[in-house]
Amino acid sequence: MALSGMRGLSVFISDIRNCQNKEQERLRVDKELGKVRTRFKNEKGLAPYEKKKYVWKMLYIYMLGYDVDFGHMEAVSLISAPKYPEKQVGYIVTSCLLNENHDFLRLAINTVRNDIIGRNETFQCLALTLVGNIGGREFAESLAPDVQKILISSSCRPLVRKKAALCLLRLFRKNPDVVNVDGWSDRMAQLLDERDLGVLTSSMSLFVSLVSNNYDAYWSCLPKCVKTLERLARNQDIPQEYTYYGIPSPWLQVKTMRALQYFPVIEDPSSRRSLFEVLQRILMGTDVVKNVNKNNASHAVLFEALSLVMHLDAEKEMMSQCVALLGKFIAVREPNIRYLGLENMSRMLMVTDVQDIIKRHQAQIITSLKDPDISIRRRALDLLYGMCDVSNAKDIVEELLQYLSTAEFVIREELSLKAAILAEKFAPDLSWYVDVILQLIDKAGDFVSDDIWFRVVQFVTNNEDLQPYAAVKVKEYLDKPAIHETMVKVGAYILGEYSHLLASRPGFSPREIFNLIHEKLPTVSISTIPILLSSYAKILMHTQPPDPELQNQIWMIFRKYESCIDVEIQQRAVEYFELSKKGAALMDILAEMPKFTERQSALIKKAEDTESDTAEQSAIKMRTQQQASNALVVTDQPPVAGTVPVSQLGLVKIPSTSNTDRPGDQELTHTNGVLTIVDPQPLDSSADLLGDLLGPLAIEGPPDNGSTSEHKMMSPHEGIPSEDALAIATVGEQPNSVQPIGNIAERFSILCLKDSGVLYEDPYIQIGIKAEWRAHQGRLLLYMGNKNTAPLVSVQALTLSPSHLKIERSLVPDTIPPRAQVQCPLEIINLRPSRDVAVLDFSYKFSSHVVNVRLRLPAVLNKFLQPISLNGEEFFLQWRSLSGPPLKLQEVVRGVKPMQLNDMANIFNSFNVMVLPGLDPNPNNLVASTTFYSETTRAMLALVRIETDPADRTQLRMTVASGDPALTFELKEFIKEQLISIPSIPRAPEPTPTQPPQVDLSDPGALLAGLM
């Protein structure tokens, strides 16, 4: 942009560049915006030069990332200026500041049309560029015929025509009816004969969009595309400016090959032969070089050519050549090339003839499974899964099992599922299949779904020859000192049913089997106890002649559980106790389980359903899930009878359980919760300075892409995908035989305000925290100290992170030695505003005690707030600029603990929201400000106003404003939670508002017992 003669603009840009920090820049921008707003509002007769200068400033401020919500009319009005400098500014700024649905654009349609049909080529290019960037349906209906005339005109220069092609592409995407299919087939063929590569490239972009919508009308264009590829491949008549690192117009080559893939398989021998010659030239001429830019261009052409080869169902010789080329790529050092090679090999697997050729690269693919880049490991896993068959299943599954021990938690579930499916589909014998599944459960029990162990039990039940072998194998695993609960389920079921087949072997007597299973009882959850009770009943049935001592021992267990609060356990205990008194009749009642009905494996069906989804459908599904809001609105209403009250909730993925001892016969259940949104009534308040600025405000729900959402009652499962087994579960104290020392919720509340302290403690372990927070990043150090003279074993710490936090952590050792302490650093990045909390799923074993707790981590909203001091002018300037929902929300809060205004100010300061005394003219009110940091918003100013009623301190009216709708809503709800939950939250000492405390993490320290 030309700045000559615009001294004011040059000075403003210089001031911005000289700012020492973000706050200085923001204040300078706010000052300039106020000045521009005043000039636009008060001076009606602005000269075009002055208006141009201020509009340039608006654009520069917008490019810095600030919201510019005024001056749009002035920018649009410059489009109709007669001179180029003002018209250029109008077009550029309008294209950047407005979108296709903006009302002001309608005012400019006629001016834009006049420029398009005019004779001034410069004005034509400006107008076409504007429409190509922000044109909507109204532009399409009004301007499409004129744009089409320019595109097919022989009198217009190529510069204008190529802009017209891209402009028509935009209008076609907004309204496909603007292009008449019947009339455009011949015209499109003429455009593809164009010699100018600029016009041809733009026309090819338009052609790709047209054939993706309807290819039948454009068969006459197909030979033109082949000729274009031949011209490019042979480098015939290609100007130097369209050659990129020796490659003739790689973008045009990619577009042309993509257009050909929308047609069915080409049957014409001449076109097919010419096309394969071009593809052969591309395959032979592509190699990896040192120049990254050339690699990117040549590989873009190559991989599009590979897609076209697969689409055309080429001969096996060419397919083999493609696989050999990809085999070179997966062996190079550059990770991006390896990734693309693996991904395209996976796509090649759709062509069954090349599966044997891909197997030759199995060793290199397995090597990629150990690559430092997790995305490459995922692609290698997908490829191994796809290329597996009977001949190589054993090797691949063994590699997957070996990799399972070191794989990250994010990939273990997928890895376990695929290993289980391959073992079932391609097992050389069933005993090997049993071995694989038991190894899976042993190495990654937390990531083995119920469907996997259900399936192995079905195989064992249906195959009599397999039953003794399975009983021996599960006993070997149950003999280990520490095993996963899923292994207990499998072992108890199989030994209860089939251990009597091996009664003559040492270690398989009924008493020994009972003792082996019964020692696991104190360590299992409620969902496993019914399976153990069934096993006891089976053991009692198979004990012939009866063993009175064993019988009395089992009867005592049944009597113990006759009064259990769980209905399933209670019923089984009562019924098994009564049945066991029937003597020989028990043999008929508790006979062996009948064979399962042969049916398709649930695992294979799940895999087939996944594979049938296209990549596009998967991407759409993922985007939909990401856009769903996770915010939970908790009211102070009493819970409905029979439901679980929602309080301090986190969205946690929990494996569902089923209380059946016959796997696969019952559906999984979810934990229920009640979510309610209540619209409070406004307080009666006399008009005041701040109230006049607010005007009428609605109380808004969580924003979605900047728009407000309607309030509605939500059912317990609404928005929760059952196939992902998501449940809303309380976190904190869990039912364990080992009781924690101190209140977990109080410890968490203290750490929300402090940066060091004890998160959890019980007789065996203490978990302390030290944290440091800077802007949108944080470093949280967990200290796990063993308080005893014996080691803690089977230690696991899994971080369950909400979608708004990116958490990276190091692995926790499996064993913590006596009187030792280990550290687990967590690197946290805040992506956007949210009140959801991360959860640490922590478990360990000490002697016979197995402890599992879910602990909320204090990476909460206020950790990403920094207090900021504003004077009256700065505060009111920002307050006025944020007008109405969703940027400014107001709510009446009831049930607040009565307190003096000074106490409330101390509370705000404690979570980094600085109270600004003296700004509100009403002495019963207070205003505050803070800066929120996240990766998406960076530094975002937020303002708060609290209006109290001296006659009733239990209610107040709160107004929160910021430049981000999500931040406004989340901060409002966060403050409300703090004010309502004050009685149960012990507050930490007040930090200094202007200088948040910093923590030195270089000193790990000893156990944190003295930090409380």
Side-chain angles (χ1 to χ4, degrees), residues 850-869:
V850 176
V851 180
N852 179 248
V853 290
R854 287 195 178 95
L855 306 168
R856 288 171 291 170
L857 294 174
V860 289
L861 183 71
N862 62 291
K863 299 295 185 181
F864 305 104
L865 299 178
Q866 289 287 351
I868 179 173
S869 178

Side-chain angles (χ1 to χ4, degrees), residues 833 861 932 940-942 960 962 964-972:
L861 183 71
F932 174 77
M940 177 67 68
L941 181 67
V960 180
S962 78
D964 180 55
L967 173 59
T968 302
F969 175 79
E970 295 293 339
L971 184 58
K972 176 179 71 72

Side-chain angles (χ1 to χ4, degrees), residues 82 122 167 252 301 415 421 484 493 539 566 604 652 718 783 788 946 979 982:
T122 304
C167 181
L252 180 56
V301 175
L415 191 59
I421 293 173
H484 194 271
Y493 186 94
I539 291 172
D566 185 89
I604 296 178
V652 183
E718 185 171 349
Y783 298 93
N788 294 274
I946 302 294
L979 295 176
I982 287 168

Side-chain angles (χ1 to χ4, degrees), residues 10-22:
S10 301
V11 171
F12 171 62
I13 294 176
S14 178
D15 289 347
I16 290 294
R17 290 175 176 173
N18 292 331
C19 289
Q20 299 297 317
N21 52 52
K22 194 69 176 176

